[in-house]
Amino acid sequence: MSRRSGILEFAVLGLLREAPMHGYELRKRLNTSLGIFRAFSYGTLYPCLKTLVANGWLIEEPGSGAEEAVATSLTGRRAKIVYRLTAEGKEHFEELLSHTGPDAWEDEHFAARFAFFGQTEREVRMRVLEGRRSRLEERLEKMRASLNRTRERLDDYTLELQRHGMESVEREVRWLNELIESERAGRDQRSGPDAPEGAAQQQNRESGETGGLPRHGGSTRPDPSDDTAK
């Protein structure tokens, strides 16, 4: 399996965990919610869906909406297929969510992982964020070293492009620092001996699904798949 197809399968499973959908809905959500899939076709999505069905992670069901039934009877066309996550598919997705290795730190995979942080345990989120920051700090160090070696041979426009790329990486590192500090602050607040905990806080703590995003204004999330950050 290629890295790209693995990311797509992960995203499809994550979206179907929220609710069953047919192919058009899935494609729309992938395009609008997950920017890393802005340019892909049904020719990419449907083989992925067939693979997930064959693996037992999805099942196909005929559409059951009233409008769908009327349209089908009038036109004689086949009802749209709705894809539903199976228990095995949910278990597999949760296993994928727990992965924190180097693949989770790469540009496209990190963007997909971040989109499902609301379903990810806090400690896993922390490891992925810290791994991503470490990867970008390594990238930034290499970019600076390369620029220092080649600065005298670059024209003004190429030099400016190199600086722009470095600024993009530096901006994402700052964003990651804010997220990591926010995750730590949320964890410390709930673990303090004198911190009161209501029912909602207790549920959030147990699910591990709150925390992460900085609450102050003025911080914008860079696009991890931005080519200038590579």
Side-chain angles (χ1 to χ4, degrees):
M1 179 193 304
S2 69
R3 176 178 295 177
R4 179 81 175 176
S5 63
I7 297 170
L8 179 57
E9 290 184 5
F10 171 83
V12 167
L13 291 172
L15 290 175
L16 290 176
R17 188 187 185 192
E18 299 173 5
M21 301 180 204
H22 54 66
Y24 175 79
E25 291 174 309
L26 270 171
R27 185 171 184 264
K28 184 177 180 181
R29 287 291 305 278
L30 289 165
N31 281 329
T32 57
S33 302
L34 303 177
I36 59 173
F37 298 108
R38 290 188 187 101
F40 85 107
S41 64
Y42 286 112
T44 302
L45 176 59
Y46 281 103
C48 171
L49 290 170
K50 294 299 182 184
T51 297
L52 295 175
V53 170
N55 288 339
W57 298 329
L58 302 182
I59 57 173
E60 297 176 328
E61 300 176 337
S64 57
E67 293 181 1
E68 177 75 11
V70 171
T72 300
S73 64
L74 291 176
T75 63
R77 62 177 172 82
R78 295 177 58 188
K80 291 180 180 178
I81 297 297
V82 172
Y83 295 90
R84 183 184 299 274
L85 196 66
T86 64
E88 292 80 4
K90 181 179 180 181
E91 182 179 348
H92 179 62
F93 179 68
E94 291 173 350
E95 179 183 349
L96 294 176
L97 277 181
S98 69
H99 290 177
T100 60
D103 280 351
W105 313 339
E106 300 299 337
D107 295 337
E108 290 186 341
H109 207 151
F110 174 75
R113 287 298 303 270
F114 190 86
F116 295 101
F117 262 22
Q119 303 179 42
T120 305
E121 293 292 334
R122 177 179 299 276
E123 294 304 318
V124 174
R125 290 198 303 259
M126 283 289 292
R127 288 195 293 271
V128 172
L129 290 171
E130 290 172 342
R132 174 67 175 174
R133 180 176 63 180
S134 176
R135 177 58 49 85
L136 289 183
E137 288 173 341
E138 292 173 3
R139 182 183 300 173
L140 191 58
E141 183 177 348
K142 291 178 181 178
M143 294 173 73
R144 287 170 175 161
S146 175
L147 184 61
N148 288 334
R149 289 195 306 268
T150 60
R151 183 186 301 271
E152 300 301 324
R153 301 195 299 271
L154 299 177
D155 61 61
D156 290 344
Y157 294 101
T158 305
L159 184 61
E160 191 61 29
L161 184 62
Q162 294 285 336
R163 287 172 176 164
H164 174 66
M166 288 177 56
E167 288 172 358
S168 297
V169 179
E170 289 169 346
R171 186 166 58 250
E172 186 173 345
V173 169
R174 290 194 297 270
W175 172 67
L176 289 167
N177 284 336
E178 291 179 357
L179 288 173
I180 290 169
E181 289 306 311
S182 183
E183 291 282 357
R184 287 174 177 164
R187 179 183 60 193
D188 294 344
Q189 181 179 9
R190 274 188 292 277
S191 62
D194 300 324
E197 185 177 69
Q201 289 175 306
Q202 183 177 4
Q203 181 179 4
N204 288 334
R205 175 178 58 79
E206 291 172 351
S207 66
E209 292 180 2
T210 63
L213 299 178
R215 298 304 181 188
H216 56 78
S219 175
T220 57
R221 172 189 170 191
D223 184 350
S225 62
D226 187 349
D227 290 340
T228 60
K230 295 180 182 180

